[in-house]
Amino acid sequence: MPTLQEIALKTDGVDARIVSGHRMCSGCGIGPLIKTVLAASDKPVIVISATGCLEVVTTIYPFTAWNTPWMHVTFENAASVASGVEAAYKALKRRGKIDGDVNILAVGGDGGTYDIGFQALSGALERRHKFMYLVYDNEGYMNTGNQRSGATPFGASTTTVPAGKVSFGKPQWRKNLVEIAAAHRIPYVGQAAVHNTLDLYKKAQKGFNADGPAVLAVLQPCTTNWSFDPALTMQYSKLAVETNFWPLYEIENGFVHISTKPSNRKPIEEFLKGQTRFRHLFKPGNEHVIVEMQKMIDDEWARLLKLEESGIQF
C-alpha cells in the first residue's frame, strides 16, 4: 500500500490522468476524489463520464483537464457505453489489433446513478462486464439547481422538496446503492469518503482488479448546495463517517467488511450543523425529525454489524 506522499506524486505528477485547468467550485472534493481513484490503476484507463458536475467542469469548450482517453455520454447511459467499450476492447484483443491491458472506468453523480442511469448500471452488472463504476455522491442534482435525488437524505431541504410550514424536507430515506449493487452478485462493491485517501485508494484498487464488474460509491460533500464554508469539505466528509451517517465498508465476493468503526460515535447533529439544507431541523417543532434520523442511522449501523459478524455471504 503506498503512502499518502506516494499517492500525491501519482495524482499530480507528469503522468497524472487529470490535470489542472478545470472549473470546479472552490472547496469541491471531486478533484481529489477522481485523482485518487485514477492513481489506483496500474494500467491505462479509459473514462466514460455521464453528464454531471465532473463532466461540466472538466471539459468547458475548447478546454479539457483530462490526460487519458475520455468520453462524454448522457445522464442515463454511462454504464451502457462502458459495456460497449469493454466488448470492443475484448474483440480487438482477440483479433490481435491491440495487445495491452486497460481498465475501464464509468463515472457518474448520484442523479445519473441512483436514478436516471440505474437501469443501464443494473444491466451492465447483470451481464458481468468488466469495468468499475464510480459514483461521486453529493446527494442531489447539484449542477442543475439542487433538486432531490434517490441519494438525498431524509430531512434535507431541496428545491423540489423544500422545507416549510407543511414539509420538513425529504420524507424518504436514501437508497442503499451499495447493497443494491451487491445483490447483483458482483465481485466487489465499496463505500468510501473523499477525506480518507488511503481507504479510497485501496478500494479503487480492488475495484479495478476485480474479476468482473465493480461499484465504488464515494461521499463528496457539496460546498455549493450543502452551503458550508469551502474550507470544511473534508471535515464534513469525516463527520459523516464519525456519526455513522456514511459508513465505510465493502462487500467482497458477497462478504461484508466494515473498514472503519468509530470508537466514539458522534451524534448526527454534529454532521447536520452548518449545512443550510438541514438548518430547519433545529427550529422548534422539528426535533422529532432529528430523533427519527438518529434512530434510522443506529438501526442501519446495527444491521451492518450483524451482516459482518454473521459471516454469511450477501
Side-chain angles (χ1 to χ4, degrees):
M1 185 69 186
T3 64
L4 284 171
Q5 290 81 2
E6 289 169 335
I7 295 174
L9 287 173
K10 293 178 73 175
T11 59
D12 291 318
V14 293
D15 296 323
R17 290 169 171 137
I18 187 169
V19 297
S20 59
H22 56 72
R23 313 292 177 86
M24 292 177 195
C25 298
S26 177
C28 180
I30 296 177
L33 187 164
I34 192 68
K35 283 185 174 185
T36 301
V37 170
L38 290 170
S41 174
D42 60 357
K43 302 179 181 72
V45 183
I46 300 170
V47 179
I48 295 92
S49 183
T51 294
C53 290
L54 177 64
E55 169 267 321
V56 169
V57 300
T58 57
T59 57
I60 296 177
Y61 183 82
F63 305 105
T64 181
W66 293 95
N67 195 29
T68 194
W70 178 89
M71 184 184 300
H72 169 222
V73 296
T74 62
F75 247 134
E76 65 269 22
N77 69 340
S80 294
V81 174
S83 302
V85 170
E86 186 249 11
Y89 163 72
K90 288 167 65 176
L92 289 170
K93 198 166 185 181
R94 279 197 308 271
R95 296 172 188 174
K97 301 289 186 180
I98 54 176
D99 57 8
D101 292 326
V102 300
N103 281 322
I104 300 166
L105 178 68
V107 187
D110 52 278
T113 305
Y114 285 69
D115 302 336
I116 300 173
F118 181 74
Q119 46 79 26
L121 176 59
S122 178
L125 300 184
E126 184 269 331
R127 294 190 301 271
R128 296 189 68 81
H129 291 280
K130 181 170 169 40
F131 74 103
M132 181 163 72
Y133 191 99
L134 168 68
V135 52
Y136 56 94
D137 189 347
N138 47 31
E139 302 188 327
Y141 291 84
M142 296 311 183
N143 77 310
T144 58
N146 191 25
Q147 295 86 6
R148 60 92 81 196
S149 78
T152 303
F154 174 79
S157 179
T158 72
T159 54
T160 48
V161 191
K165 293 181 179 179
V166 297
S167 170
F168 59 78
K170 188 185 174 192
Q172 301 90 7
W173 195 241
R174 62 171 179 253
K175 291 180 186 177
N176 190 326
L177 185 71
V178 168
E179 294 190 15
I180 292 171
H184 290 74
R185 304 292 196 273
I186 63 175
Y188 187 78
V189 190
Q191 183 158 292
V194 66
H195 77 279
N196 194 327
T197 303
L198 291 175
D199 180 70
L200 174 58
Y201 185 93
K202 181 179 179 181
K203 287 172 177 170
Q205 272 191 326
K206 287 186 176 184
F208 281 129
N209 294 330
D211 184 22
V215 174
L216 183 57
V218 187
L219 183 69
Q220 198 302 103
C222 178
T223 179
T224 301
N225 289 309
W226 294 17
S227 301
F228 55 80
D229 185 329
L232 299 178
T233 299
M234 298 304 173
Q235 180 64 20
Y236 273 104
S237 176
K238 187 177 180 182
L239 282 169
V241 174
E242 291 175 339
T243 57
N244 288 336
F245 175 85
W246 186 265
L248 301 185
Y249 70 108
E250 57 193 353
I251 303 176
E252 195 166 4
N253 294 313
F255 295 100
V256 174
H257 169 67
I258 301 173
S259 315
T260 301
K261 296 177 182 177
S263 57
N264 184 23
R265 193 268 294 160
K266 294 182 178 179
I268 190 58
E269 288 91 336
E270 294 300 306
F271 173 69
L272 304 179
K273 290 176 183 174
Q275 299 184 49
T276 57
R277 62 180 184 155
F278 291 122
R279 63 186 175 188
H280 60 284
L281 299 183
F282 294 94
K283 295 180 179 179
N286 283 333
E287 298 86 352
H288 70 284
V289 182
I290 295 178
V291 171
E292 187 172 351
M293 186 185 295
Q294 185 68 71
K295 184 179 185 303
M296 288 177 176
I297 291 168
D298 292 344
D299 288 348
E300 279 295 296
W301 178 250
R303 190 180 65 84
L304 192 60
L305 287 172
K306 286 181 181 178
L307 283 172
E308 181 187 48
E309 291 166 1
S310 71
I312 297 173
Q313 195 168 22
F314 191 85

